[in-house]
Amino acid sequence: MEGLAKIEDLGKPRVVIVGGGFGGLELAKALRHAPVQVVLIDKQNYHTFQPLLYQVATAGLEVDAVVSPFRKILDEQENLFFRLAEVQRIDAERQVVETSIGLVRYDYLVLATGATTNYFGDAEMERNAIAMKSVMDAIELRNTVLSNFEKALQLGDEVQLNSLLDFVIVGGGPTGVEIAGALSELRKHIFPKDYRELDFRQMDIHLIQSGDLLLKGMSAEASRKSLEYLERFGVQVHLNKRVKSYDGYTVTLNTGETLVTRTLIWAAGVAGAPVDGLPPECLRKGGRYAVDEFNRVKGHPHIFAIGDIAAMESTEYPEGHPMLAQPAMQQGRLLAHNLERLLAGQAPQPFRYDDKGSLATIGRNHAVADIKLLGKDLKTQGFLAWIIWMFVHLMSLISFRNRLFVFLNWTWSYFTFDKGRRYIIGPTREPVPVEATTEKAIV
Amino acid sequence: MEGLAKIEDLGKPRVVIVGGGFGGLELAKALRHAPVQVVLIDKQNYHTFQPLLYQVATAGLEVDAVVSPFRKILDEQENLFFRLAEVQRIDAERQVVETSIGLVRYDYLVLATGATTNYFGDAEMERNAIAMKSVMDAIELRNTVLSNFEKALQLGDEVQLNSLLDFVIVGGGPTGVEIAGALSELRKHIFPKDYRELDFRQMDIHLIQSGDLLLKGMSAEASRKSLEYLERFGVQVHLNKRVKSYDGYTVTLNTGETLVTRTLIWAAGVAGAPVDGLPPECLRKGGRYAVDEFNRVKGHPHIFAIGDIAAMESTEYPEGHPMLAQPAMQQGRLLAHNLERLLAGQAPQPFRYDDKGSLATIGRNHAVADIKLLGKDLKTQGFLAWIIWMFVHLMSLISFRNRLFVFLNWTWSYFTFDKGRRYIIGPTREPVPVEATTEKAIV
């Protein structure tokens, strides 16, 4: 679509931000008092708090708790204009981005498009697996788990039944570990009550990790303990194994082993989600833009990239920073500062990542934490780590309202052992057709 | 599908309930200690609290607040078996219902399938209007309202713009009145902040009622006051007018007037949702089963119908009881009692409707109430009615958890003037294509 999108021109330098994830949103907010016009473009009208998506997927939280509409977050920011649109191409020559609502002119362009699920080119896997990157992914997983059990009630054949009751999670990073843990909690506290007619000793949860460690980026203690907790909760952890193929029914591992499941959750990799239009030499491995220490895309002084989509190569991080919320937010904040400096004719300041540590929860009372506290490294696992995990996540939520409601939800679930969002609304992954075992005669 | 659905046989008389709305759910719960096996069949896995759907549609409540999974509500009821299935046909001869999961045998069958939107045969209206009967309807309306405004930002043409900003609601019953009121609140408190670039003086809300009264079933005071409140809130109420046609863009009234809107909400009628298989003489006007005073479908001693789908004709209610939650729940409770009596060889007791009154809310601090209090008729409008409305709806919600969270939500919204669920997730009604006004040159 040619033609200019209808956005008032404030007569100030215009900063166009593509993507309202952790990095883009932080940047937009930090530009609040800057002498610029900010145009934030996203294909959704809400910010997603991805670290808690797995709780939506496992019926612990409602969608509401993990999304915040951009217009609500930013409605008092007068220099900001939000547009719901898809960005199709960057035209660096003309300084415009081509979008689904027309051309948008920029003085400075910031790419904050984040990451997308990486199937490493396996189209069959992409078709059959469920990912865990978006709200729709989370809803789909929740609906699919619940539908599986409803269908399982009609099955007599043992193998067919197991294919519906068993789950295979690929990827031993935080998402994989957290989903495996949450499913094991549902198996223990919820499903046997909901589905008295099914025998949940038949429900297997497999977690497959290509390397020999879970939570690879974390400390050795965290890796070891997360494995111990998962095994205690009855999750079957397969280390040093890879999935070779999955046809929607049979999972084949590189060892020749096979598992049967209708639900494979793919948490094994993400890749940058670059936009068309910049020359290929701007891109690094994994679809990330090569940026300098000011987050400038190499060769394009007016184009920046922050967060997952940016690979700022340094001696400490030769392949760029980890694809997490913290680097994205810190880059967003610094870039706001640097844009103000640039406009004032001052030199920008280089980015230094302040790694505050990592956390992952395995289940009720069980988490692992590697954090910095008062300048010291603290490595802890178990109940204290779980309390820290909850506190950090609550404090990171966007609004006070979300914090309050998530806190109340968690408190409620903790004392009642309940996870109440067990309804099937919206998309469900239809499995490869199952032949229901029905008896011939009417008894 | 032939073949028997796999449901354990308890060796007790089996009561099959089709539909878990207010009537079916109440019956299922009341049969908790009865010497029967209860099979509850619904095409959703959750009960919907329909009276608050309009708040989901207008971003006031999350879906979570108005639905409850059946398995959660009923998980301690040992004689109950829930099945997620569609019922296709009744075979009264063989005493089975044909469903999407196979045949289900019954000793007693209770039809509690409720009502569906009635377009009175107008296929064009059905295609173009949004209804307000299901959770998906409510989500669709919310998404459509928000998408309209996002699209409106790109329009220059005045008429096109108004077609996106204006809303037409057909039907002056509680649903129509409540949606009109809620939209006027959004127009006053929320939208102007979210969409600073739009002029909300251009947003018109039309409510069309075929008769000369709003809230027809209620008292004259309630009708008069609801009209007064709506007009005070800037809703354009059209009494004694009918919609002749709607092509997705132009609404033509019987007076020859036309209105232009891309969003017409149809709240003008419901009809029973009968199941195939019973002879046509069982059905009355509006698709309801003719039942005797014990809710037995005429000519079928083992088949009952309760709630919206049942027309129990009496001198007081010549066309059956009003299609509301109260008669359905009372019939459900009495039928549980009567089934126990029948099994004990006792005569059943006839149904007498205890009309506890009606309530409707127009907006913040404004509702109308016709209720019975300590045996006396109380008619009140305004703040007191609004407090009563909230109290009654809170107490009617299924679980303590839902009551607590809805209460907190309402309290939060009351003091902050906020309605936070303004995200577009799930289906959106795509309007008849709008030609975006885009300028030719890049300025």
Side-chain angles (χ1 to χ4, degrees):
Chain A
M1 172 189 263
E2 278 283 302
L4 202 62
K6 201 171 157 240
I7 305 173
E8 191 189 340
D9 213 310
L10 296 190
K12 293 178 189 169
R14 185 188 273 183
V15 179
V16 173
I17 305 169
V18 184
F22 286 109
L25 183 59
E26 197 69 20
L27 170 62
K29 290 199 289 189
L31 287 172
R32 181 178 192 134
H33 301 295
V36 296
Q37 176 179 27
V38 182
V39 176
L40 175 64
I41 302 177
D42 199 291
K43 59 189 173 185
Q44 307 293 358
N45 80 330
Y46 53 85
H47 169 79
T48 305
F49 190 79
Q50 289 190 346
L52 292 179
L53 272 184
Y54 85 96
Q55 295 208 358
V56 173
T58 51
L61 284 177
E62 177 41 30
V63 170
D64 193 21
V66 302
V67 302
S68 307
F70 289 120
R71 295 193 179 279
K72 188 181 155 190
I73 306 171
L74 301 164
D75 67 1
E76 289 176 5
Q77 192 163 334
E78 288 190 3
N79 67 346
L80 188 134
F81 293 72
F82 173 74
R83 283 298 182 274
L84 182 68
E86 291 215 45
V87 170
Q88 291 148 346
R89 212 178 141 269
I90 302 162
D91 186 338
E93 194 108 351
R94 292 198 289 170
Q95 298 214 155
V96 292
V97 280
E98 298 169 20
T99 79
S100 54
I101 57 167
L103 300 176
V104 178
R105 190 189 56 69
Y106 65 81
D107 295 302
Y108 295 100
L109 176 65
V110 183
L111 302 168
T113 45
T116 183
T117 307
N118 190 358
Y119 294 97
F120 304 100
D122 183 342
E124 189 191 48
M125 182 62 76
E126 185 167 356
R127 201 166 51 241
N128 294 317
I130 295 182
M132 194 45 52
K133 278 300 282 180
S134 72
V135 170
M136 279 323 243
D137 289 340
I139 294 174
E140 190 182 1
L141 179 55
R142 180 193 68 194
N143 290 345
T144 303
V145 173
L146 297 172
S147 301
N148 280 358
F149 296 155
E150 296 293 342
K151 289 184 190 112
L153 290 168
Q154 293 309 311
L155 289 179
D157 179 80
E158 199 75 358
V159 179
Q160 293 277 0
L161 186 65
N162 274 307
S163 77
L164 287 169
L165 293 182
D166 292 355
F167 295 88
V168 174
I169 301 146
V170 187
T175 304
V177 166
E178 290 179 333
I179 290 180
L183 283 174
S184 77
E185 289 210 326
L186 287 167
R187 177 175 60 182
K188 187 168 177 195
H189 300 296
I190 311 276
F191 292 153
K193 276 201 285 182
D194 268 15
Y195 301 90
R196 287 189 319 265
E197 299 165 70
L198 297 174
D199 177 1
F200 282 94
R201 286 171 304 185
Q202 288 187 289
M203 174 179 168
D204 294 321
I205 304 164
H206 298 276
L207 177 64
I208 313 221
Q209 161 66 357
S210 58
D212 55 1
L213 289 175
L214 297 178
L215 302 175
K216 206 172 49 180
M218 292 186 69
S219 64
E221 292 93 316
S223 295
R224 194 170 46 74
K225 275 287 184 183
S226 59
L227 176 61
E228 182 188 318
Y229 294 156
L230 282 175
E231 290 185 333
R232 187 185 302 169
F233 297 156
V235 173
Q236 300 178 38
V237 182
H238 305 254
L239 295 175
N240 296 310
K241 292 182 191 171
R242 287 171 184 279
V243 173
K244 266 180 62 187
S245 70
Y246 176 56
D247 62 5
Y249 188 76
T250 304
V251 188
T252 308
L253 305 183
N254 63 337
T255 56
E257 286 169 272
T258 57
L259 301 167
V260 167
T261 185
R262 291 172 184 282
T263 317
L264 182 143
I265 299 147
W266 184 259
V270 290
V275 181
D276 280 356
L278 295 186
E281 60 266 26
C282 294
L283 282 176
R284 286 290 169 275
K285 207 180 81 170
R288 302 172 88 185
Y289 290 106
V291 297
D292 65 15
E293 55 192 346
F294 313 111
N295 282 101
R296 265 189 312 225
V297 175
K298 296 218 166 129
H300 293 85
H302 291 261
I303 303 181
F304 300 82
I306 59 175
D308 289 359
I309 191 67
M312 188 190 290
E313 294 158 4
S314 60
T315 36
E316 203 181 346
Y317 300 98
E319 296 190 349
H321 298 95
M323 292 163 90
L324 297 169
Q326 275 302 323
M329 294 171 80
Q330 293 177 22
Q331 289 176 359
R333 272 195 296 270
L334 180 69
L335 182 53
H337 179 71
N338 278 339
L339 285 170
E340 292 206 61
R341 290 182 67 92
L342 284 172
L343 289 168
Q346 295 166 313
Q349 293 174 332
F351 179 71
R352 291 284 166 269
Y353 177 39
D354 173 19
D355 185 355
K356 295 185 179 160
S358 300
L359 298 156
T361 191
I362 292 94
R364 210 181 165 73
N365 304 338
H366 290 78
V368 294
D370 299 338
I371 55 167
K372 282 209 177 66
L373 202 68
L374 308 171
K376 283 191 179 175
D377 282 338
L378 173 69
K379 293 190 180 73
T380 180
Q381 301 89 34
F383 186 72
L384 176 62
W386 186 69
I387 295 289
I388 295 171
W389 181 91
M390 283 203 296
F391 179 79
V392 168
H393 282 78
L394 276 178
M395 290 302 111
S396 308
L397 283 165
I398 296 297
S399 68
F400 177 72
R401 193 194 164 282
N402 279 0
R403 284 197 279 275
L404 175 68
F405 279 78
V406 170
F407 174 73
L408 289 170
N409 253 303
W410 283 351
T411 308
W412 181 276
S413 296
Y414 188 74
F415 289 107
T416 61
F417 288 82
D418 194 21
K419 299 193 177 192
R421 297 342 156 286
R422 304 198 293 280
Y423 40 77
I424 304 167
I425 299 179
T428 304
R429 178 68 59 123
E430 270 310 312
V432 183
V434 181
E435 198 51 52
T437 313
T438 51
E439 293 158 43
K440 290 278 144 57
I442 301 170
V443 210
Chain B
M1 173 190 263
E2 276 283 302
L4 201 63
K6 201 172 157 239
I7 306 173
E8 190 188 341
D9 214 311
L10 296 190
K12 293 178 187 169
R14 185 189 272 183
V15 179
V16 172
I17 304 169
V18 184
F22 285 110
L25 183 59
E26 197 70 18
L27 170 63
K29 289 200 288 188
L31 287 171
R32 180 178 194 137
H33 300 297
V36 296
Q37 176 179 25
V38 182
V39 176
L40 174 63
I41 302 176
D42 199 292
K43 59 187 172 185
Q44 308 292 0
N45 79 331
Y46 53 85
H47 169 79
T48 305
F49 190 80
Q50 289 190 347
L52 292 180
L53 273 184
Y54 85 95
Q55 296 207 357
V56 174
T58 52
L61 284 177
E62 176 41 28
V63 169
D64 192 24
V66 303
V67 302
S68 308
F70 289 120
R71 294 193 180 278
K72 188 181 156 190
I73 306 171
L74 301 165
D75 68 1
E76 288 176 6
Q77 192 163 335
E78 289 191 2
N79 67 346
L80 188 135
F81 292 73
F82 173 74
R83 282 299 181 273
L84 182 69
E86 291 215 44
V87 170
Q88 291 147 346
R89 209 177 144 271
I90 301 161
D91 185 340
E93 194 107 353
R94 293 198 290 170
Q95 298 214 154
V96 293
V97 280
E98 299 169 18
T99 79
S100 54
I101 57 167
L103 300 175
V104 179
R105 191 188 56 69
Y106 66 80
D107 295 303
Y108 296 99
L109 175 65
V110 183
L111 302 168
T113 44
T116 183
T117 307
N118 190 359
Y119 294 97
F120 304 101
D122 183 342
E124 190 191 47
M125 182 61 78
E126 186 167 355
R127 202 166 49 240
N128 294 317
I130 295 183
M132 194 44 52
K133 278 299 283 177
S134 71
V135 170
M136 279 321 243
D137 289 341
I139 294 174
E140 190 182 2
L141 179 55
R142 181 194 68 194
N143 290 345
T144 303
V145 173
L146 296 172
S147 300
N148 280 357
F149 296 155
E150 296 294 341
K151 290 184 189 112
L153 289 169
Q154 293 310 311
L155 288 179
D157 180 81
E158 199 75 358
V159 179
Q160 293 276 3
L161 186 65
N162 273 307
S163 77
L164 287 170
L165 292 183
D166 293 355
F167 295 87
V168 174
I169 300 146
V170 186
T175 303
V177 166
E178 290 178 333
I179 290 180
L183 283 174
S184 77
E185 289 210 326
L186 288 168
R187 176 175 60 183
K188 188 169 177 194
H189 299 297
I190 311 277
F191 293 153
K193 275 200 285 184
D194 268 14
Y195 302 91
R196 286 190 319 265
E197 300 165 70
L198 297 174
D199 178 2
F200 282 94
R201 287 172 302 187
Q202 288 187 291
M203 174 180 169
D204 294 322
I205 304 163
H206 298 276
L207 177 64
I208 312 217
Q209 162 65 357
S210 57
D212 55 1
L213 289 176
L214 297 178
L215 304 176
K216 205 173 49 180
M218 292 186 70
S219 65
E221 293 93 317
S223 296
R224 194 171 44 75
K225 275 287 183 182
S226 59
L227 176 62
E228 183 188 319
Y229 293 156
L230 282 176
E231 290 185 333
R232 188 185 301 169
F233 297 155
V235 173
Q236 300 179 38
V237 181
H238 304 254
L239 295 175
N240 296 309
K241 292 182 191 169
R242 286 172 184 278
V243 173
K244 266 180 62 188
S245 70
Y246 176 57
D247 62 4
Y249 188 76
T250 304
V251 188
T252 308
L253 305 183
N254 62 338
T255 56
E257 287 168 89
T258 57
L259 301 167
V260 166
T261 184
R262 290 171 185 284
T263 319
L264 182 144
I265 300 148
W266 183 258
V270 289
V275 181
D276 279 356
L278 294 186
E281 60 267 26
C282 294
L283 282 175
R284 287 288 170 275
K285 207 181 81 174
R288 302 172 89 184
Y289 290 107
V291 296
D292 65 15
E293 56 192 345
F294 312 111
N295 282 100
R296 265 190 312 225
V297 175
K298 297 216 167 131
H300 293 86
H302 290 261
I303 303 180
F304 300 81
I306 59 175
D308 289 358
I309 191 67
M312 186 189 290
E313 293 158 5
S314 60
T315 35
E316 205 182 342
Y317 299 98
E319 297 191 347
H321 297 95
M323 292 163 89
L324 297 170
Q326 276 302 323
M329 294 172 81
Q330 293 176 22
Q331 289 176 359
R333 273 195 294 270
L334 180 70
L335 182 54
H337 181 70
N338 279 339
L339 286 169
E340 291 206 62
R341 291 182 67 90
L342 284 172
L343 290 168
Q346 296 167 313
Q349 293 174 332
F351 179 72
R352 290 283 166 269
Y353 177 39
D354 173 20
D355 184 355
K356 295 186 178 157
S358 301
L359 299 156
T361 191
I362 292 94
R364 208 180 168 74
N365 302 338
H366 291 77
V368 294
D370 299 338
I371 55 167
K372 281 208 178 69
L373 201 67
L374 308 170
K376 282 191 179 175
D377 283 337
L378 173 70
K379 295 190 180 74
T380 179
Q381 301 88 35
F383 186 72
L384 176 62
W386 187 70
I387 295 289
I388 295 171
W389 181 91
M390 284 203 294
F391 179 79
V392 168
H393 281 79
L394 277 178
M395 289 302 111
S396 309
L397 284 165
I398 295 297
S399 69
F400 177 72
R401 192 193 164 281
N402 279 1
R403 284 197 280 276
L404 175 69
F405 279 79
V406 170
F407 174 74
L408 289 170
N409 253 303
W410 284 350
T411 308
W412 181 276
S413 296
Y414 188 74
F415 289 106
T416 61
F417 288 81
D418 194 21
K419 298 193 179 194
R421 297 343 156 287
R422 304 198 292 280
Y423 39 77
I424 303 167
I425 298 179
T428 304
R429 178 68 60 123
E430 270 308 312
V432 183
V434 181
E435 197 51 53
T437 311
T438 50
E439 293 157 43
K440 291 278 146 57
I442 300 170
V443 208

